[in-house]
Amino acid sequence: MRTLVWLLRALLFFTLFAFALNNSHEAVVRWFFGHEWRAPQVIIVLLAFGFGAAFGVLAMVPTWWRHRRAAQRAEPLPGAPAPAPEVPPAPYAAHQDGV
């Protein structure tokens, strides 16, 4: 199974590497007020992906904090003794000797 995972990773790496080699020509990003930025297209795509992933992670942080606080409130602390479960009393056996 590990070999299969590493083969899939190698396939993904070489596919992306071939994409980068095929798209190494210069591209232009035009900003506001006539500003423009020239860079290889693969760099522009990589930066767009990186900024998108970072934005997604940062957008999820408040939700993660809220869930973490809720989980901490729901679980007792690790050092605190857990309350003993209530066990119903066993019925009194009049004849414990089996007679």
Side-chain angles (χ1 to χ4, degrees):
M1 187 68 183
R2 282 186 154 181
T3 306
L4 180 63
V5 169
W6 277 105
L7 286 173
L8 288 173
R9 288 178 183 172
L11 177 69
L12 180 65
F13 172 78
F14 286 117
T15 302
L16 293 175
F17 187 69
F19 172 78
L21 289 177
N22 288 333
N23 292 295
S24 61
H25 62 281
E26 190 173 272
V28 178
V29 177
R30 290 184 172 79
W31 299 96
F32 299 107
F33 308 114
H35 295 286
E36 60 184 38
W37 177 53
R38 295 178 182 272
Q41 184 176 4
V42 70
I43 299 296
I44 294 171
V45 171
L46 181 64
L47 285 174
F49 174 78
F51 283 130
F55 179 75
V57 168
L58 289 175
M60 287 297 299
V61 166
T63 305
W64 289 337
W65 286 344
R66 193 175 323 118
H67 285 288
R68 183 176 174 181
R69 275 182 286 174
Q72 286 175 346
R73 273 186 266 132
E75 295 179 8
L77 295 175
E86 290 187 24
V87 179
Y92 177 74
H95 303 286
Q96 292 180 355
D97 60 356
V99 179

